[in-house]
């Protein structure tokens, strides 16, 4: 995706059902963006530019597919993009939006929208890859801006970025952070994907796996940690519902 014939790769940023925090993280890159802008053209980014073009090469999309309009827009984005990058938990796993899937949809619609609920275009929440092919997933709530910049650099060089696939515990150890279990907290660090520099435990918060599961969790070690602190796998799985409810995480953790 490198520059050819004097033409810069064209980038677009879109938001579906989300708080748009991951799109804002791009703007938070501030000085780093200036370097990127010398190598690309941003042709569609509602939060940062007035231009609205659809001749882009790389599309960054945050948010879950939570309406039929989202699904239609995503398919249109995919038809234009040579590379589609899902940014943030909502785009990668469905995120918090999936919590509504655990109740009857009509009940959820009426609770949120009241008497006008039948007018609302809402469907069960899904991650992007449930609707279209996704080339790269950049998880997190929000995504890490440093990781975003590295992904952009790698994509522009025609490479596929390597997203960390080790437990958050590994980064806690590097930071010499006191284990949350030793503080009596339920933490998903033993089986959650690292890459955030374990920022939540470092500042006193437990890991809630906003970056999803590692692909090959050490379920035996996780069970040992839970048993040591009087907890169960079933209790841990309830915590996963916050960000990973779209998936059958029970099978992933138990290895069945």
């Amino acid at each position: 995706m490198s520059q050819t014939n004097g033409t810069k790769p064209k980038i677009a940023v879109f938001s579906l059902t989300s708080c748009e925090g991951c799109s804002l993280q791009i703007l938070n890159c501030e000085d780093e963006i200036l370097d990127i802008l010398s190598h690309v053209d941003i042709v569609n980014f509602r939060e940062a530019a007035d231009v609205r073009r659809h001749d882009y090469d790389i599309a960054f999309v945050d948010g879950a597919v939570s309406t039929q309009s989202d699904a239609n827009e995503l398919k249109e984005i995919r038809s234009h993009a040579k590379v589609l990058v899902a940014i943030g938990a909502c785009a990668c796993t469905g995120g918090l939006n999936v919590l509504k899937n655990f109740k009857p949809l009509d009940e959820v619609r009426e609770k949120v929208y009241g008497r006008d609920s039948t007018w609302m275009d809402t469907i069960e929440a899904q991650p992007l890859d449930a609707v279209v092919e996704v080339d790269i997933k950049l998880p997190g709530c929000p995504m890490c801006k440093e990781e975003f910049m590295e992904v952009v650099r790698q994509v522009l060089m025609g490479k596929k970025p390597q997203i960390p696939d080790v437990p958050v515990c590994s980064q806690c150890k590097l930071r010499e952070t006191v284990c949350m279990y030793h503080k009596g907290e339920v933490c998903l660090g033993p089986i959650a994907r690292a890459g955030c520099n374990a920022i939540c435990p470092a500042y006193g918060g437990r890991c809630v796996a906003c970056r999803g599961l590692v692909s090959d969790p050490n379920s035996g070690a996780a069970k040992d940690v839970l048993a040591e602190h009087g907890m169960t796998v079933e209790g841990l799985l309830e915590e996963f519902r916050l960000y990973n409810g779209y998936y059958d995480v029970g099978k992933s953790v138990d290895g069945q």
Side-chain angles (χ1 to χ4, degrees), residues 68-85:
Q68 190 57 51
S69 297
D70 283 342
N72 295 340
E73 181 180 2
L74 180 59
K75 291 174 183 177
E76 180 69 14
I77 293 168
R78 176 74 271 189
S79 71
H80 292 285
K82 296 175 184 175
V83 178
L84 192 151
V85 185

Side-chain angles (χ1 to χ4, degrees), residues 110-228:
E110 184 173 355
K111 181 72 173 179
V112 174
Y113 299 112
R115 64 182 183 181
D116 297 327
S117 63
T118 56
W119 300 357
M120 302 304 168
D121 168 27
T122 186
I123 60 176
E124 288 195 346
Q126 307 166 81
L128 304 191
D129 65 0
V131 178
V132 300
E133 182 179 356
V134 172
D135 299 301
I136 300 166
K137 293 182 180 181
L138 179 52
C141 185
M143 64 173 182
C144 299
K145 65 179 185 178
E146 296 82 7
E147 193 171 37
F148 168 77
M149 294 302 300
E150 183 57 28
V151 165
V152 171
R153 293 187 186 101
Q154 294 292 320
V155 170
L156 292 178
M157 290 189 291
K159 299 180 179 179
K160 184 165 185 178
Q162 298 300 310
I163 304 301
D165 194 15
V166 295
V168 170
C169 291
S170 64
Q171 293 189 316
C172 275
K173 291 176 180 177
L174 288 173
R175 295 189 65 150
E176 299 183 350
T177 299
V178 175
C179 180
M180 298 304 295
Y181 282 97
H182 294 162
K183 299 179 179 181
E185 296 278 357
V186 176
C187 181
L188 304 183
I191 45 181
R193 183 184 294 269
C196 55
N197 199 24
I199 188 170
C200 291
Y203 288 92
R206 59 197 179 90
C207 174
V208 291
C210 69
R211 291 175 60 88
L213 276 168
V214 290
S215 60
D216 186 22
N218 187 339
S219 56
K223 289 177 181 177
D224 290 342
V225 169
L226 293 172
E228 180 183 347

Side-chain angles (χ1 to χ4, degrees), residues 218-239:
N218 187 339
S219 56
K223 289 177 181 177
D224 290 342
V225 169
L226 293 172
E228 180 183 347
H229 296 278
M231 303 172 188
T232 65
V233 170
E234 289 73 22
L236 191 69
L237 292 178
E238 290 180 5
E239 299 290 324

